[in-house]
Amino acid sequence: MKRADVVLLGLPLYNYGAPSSVKSWVDHLIVAGLTYDPTTQEGLLSGREFVVVATRGGGYGEGTPRHGWDHAEQWLPHGLSMTGLEPRFISAELTLAPTVPAMAELIPLHEASLAAAQKEIDNLWTPASAQR
């Protein structure tokens, strides 16, 4: 991790929170002397790009009935704050819409969310001059 220029994390939303595997990764990442200075409390992993690709089966954005229920994206920056890593989130919502009949009317919103996330991912590796 200390030699990485970019850290990429997949973050699905399970029951409104981060999966236990991600929580465990964070717990194992916070190590005095390795990821933060025990004397100064300074994070030792700053200066890296930290991209988090987040997926949610439902809709949790502003104006939705479950706005604020996504406890994974809210939690991760706090969970890693000691390390100096600052996540950049790229999120796709309504990923269950194509497979759950009751969500069929939400498929266009899912497709728009997925397309926006894919474009944002593509832009990570596309030179700024080519994005115009």
Side-chain angles (χ1 to χ4, degrees), residues 22-42:
V22 173
K23 292 176 187 174
S24 180
W25 177 74
V26 168
D27 289 342
H28 287 94
L29 190 63
I30 300 172
V31 179
L34 181 64
T35 58
Y36 73 93
D37 184 297
T39 305
T40 65
Q41 302 298 305
E42 178 185 356

Side-chain angles (χ1 to χ4, degrees), residues 2-19:
K2 290 183 87 168
R3 290 191 233 164
D5 295 325
V6 177
V7 177
L8 177 64
L9 175 68
L11 181 65
L13 184 66
Y14 288 179
N15 299 315
Y16 315 113

Side-chain angles (χ1 to χ4, degrees), residues 7-130:
V7 177
L8 177 64
L9 175 68
L11 181 65
L13 184 66
Y14 288 179
N15 299 315
Y16 315 113
S20 61
S21 56
V22 173
K23 292 176 187 174
S24 180
W25 177 74
V26 168
D27 289 342
H28 287 94
L29 190 63
I30 300 172
V31 179
L34 181 64
T35 58
Y36 73 93
D37 184 297
T39 305
T40 65
Q41 302 298 305
E42 178 185 356
L44 301 177
L45 299 180
S46 59
R48 287 164 185 73
E49 189 166 9
F50 180 34
V51 179
V52 180
V53 178
T55 58
R56 300 182 282 267
Y60 299 87
E62 188 78 38
T64 65
R66 291 197 173 145
H67 177 251
W69 286 36
D70 176 350
H71 301 295
E73 195 166 317
Q74 295 171 6
W75 162 78
L76 189 61
H78 299 290
L80 291 173
S81 62
M82 290 184 69
T83 68
L85 289 172
E86 296 179 18
R88 172 184 178 177
F89 289 94
I90 299 174
S91 302
E93 289 200 325
L94 301 165
T95 60
L96 290 175
T99 60
V100 176
M103 296 177 71
E105 67 186 39
L106 300 173
I107 290 174
L109 294 173
H110 154 71
E111 290 171 346
S113 176
L114 183 59
Q118 288 171 332
K119 182 177 181 179
E120 201 171 338
I121 290 168
D122 289 343
N123 288 341
L124 289 172
W125 289 278
T126 304
S129 60

